Amino acid sequence: MSLRVDTPGPTTGVRRFGPTTRWVHRTTATLMGVCVVTAACLYVPQLAELVGRRELVVRVHEWAGLALPVPVLAGLASRLFRADLGFLNRFGPHDRVWLRAALHRDKRRSSRPAGKFNAGQKIYAAWIAGATLVMLGTGLIMWFTHLTPLQWRTSATFVHDWLALTIGIVLAGHIGMALGDPEARRGMRTGMVSREWAEREHRLWRH
């Protein structure tokens, strides 16, 4: 089997993502961005003074955080989106090869075999999904203060704050890598990538 080509001609490309996957990614990214920006406005004194209206910022932050899982849950209605999640959640022997090459800073493409998603993308997706759930849980503990003891709220605040900082750093790395790969961004924006890019970066990807 080979990579599916949509139409012949000079603009021939490979369909990488369907509309649901692109919508889920775009909506989740927007909500995550709102959470990061509002968190910065709450914790950085200079931004807090500049923006003001702390109560409104808190409410926007809370509701954006609560809404974070919604796009993924809605996307599960799509068969193609579920298939993409299956690719993300499945590690194979080639992923271990990719990780060894990454750890040894071996940048040869032949040493980094990848299917539809490479091992780095899979680890990022798993980590950000887990971090989102932890942020949601700790945020709820901080929000509904009357339901939990003080020790729980104190611990939740500590985890929430430091994990938020970590998420900000990881997201910055994710955005930086995306900026360095215009073809990958085009795939998420339009759903299409060039055959050459697909065979070069994801040579084990077949559908």
Side-chain angles (χ1 to χ4, degrees), residues 61-73:
H61 181 79
E62 290 171 342
W63 285 107
L66 282 176
L68 263 177
V70 174
V72 173
L73 294 175

Side-chain angles (χ1 to χ4, degrees), residues 19-20 33-34 83 113 131 134 139 145 147 149 152-153 156-157 183 194 196 201:
T20 301
V34 171
V134 172
T145 56
L147 297 180
W152 286 27
R153 299 197 301 273
T157 301
E183 191 73 17
S194 68
E196 293 75 17
E201 300 291 340

Side-chain angles (χ1 to χ4, degrees), residues 73-86:
L73 294 175
L76 293 176
S78 166
R79 178 181 59 83
L80 291 178
F81 179 68
R82 294 197 303 272
D84 283 339
L85 287 183

Side-chain angles (χ1 to χ4, degrees), residues 18-29 70-75 188:
T20 301
T21 298
R22 302 199 311 274
W23 175 84
V24 169
H25 183 271
R26 189 176 299 117
T27 308
T28 302
V70 174
V72 173
L73 294 175
M188 188 54 74

Side-chain angles (χ1 to χ4, degrees), residues 28-68 135 142 160-161 164-165 167-168 171:
T28 302
T30 300
L31 290 170
M32 185 68 77
V34 171
C35 287
V36 170
V37 171
T38 51
C41 291
L42 291 172
Y43 285 96
V44 178
Q46 294 82 354
L47 290 177
E49 292 177 6
L50 180 65
V51 175
R53 305 192 67 180
R54 181 179 177 85
E55 187 65 25
L56 175 61
V57 174
V58 169
R59 291 294 168 259
V60 172
H61 181 79
E62 290 171 342
W63 285 107
L66 282 176
L68 263 177
M135 292 295 284
M142 294 162 62
H160 197 88
D161 290 353
L165 177 61
I167 289 174
L171 284 177

Side-chain angles (χ1 to χ4, degrees), residues 7 12 16 35 43 49 59 79 90 104 110-111 114-116 121-122 131 133 136 145 153 157 164 203:
T7 55
T12 292
R16 181 158 174 79
C35 287
Y43 285 96
E49 292 177 6
R59 291 294 168 259
R79 178 181 59 83
R90 191 176 304 119
H104 290 90
S110 60
S111 67
K116 187 168 187 178
Q121 292 167 330
K122 293 177 180 180
L133 292 176
L136 180 61
T145 56
R153 299 197 301 273
T157 301
R203 56 189 172 88

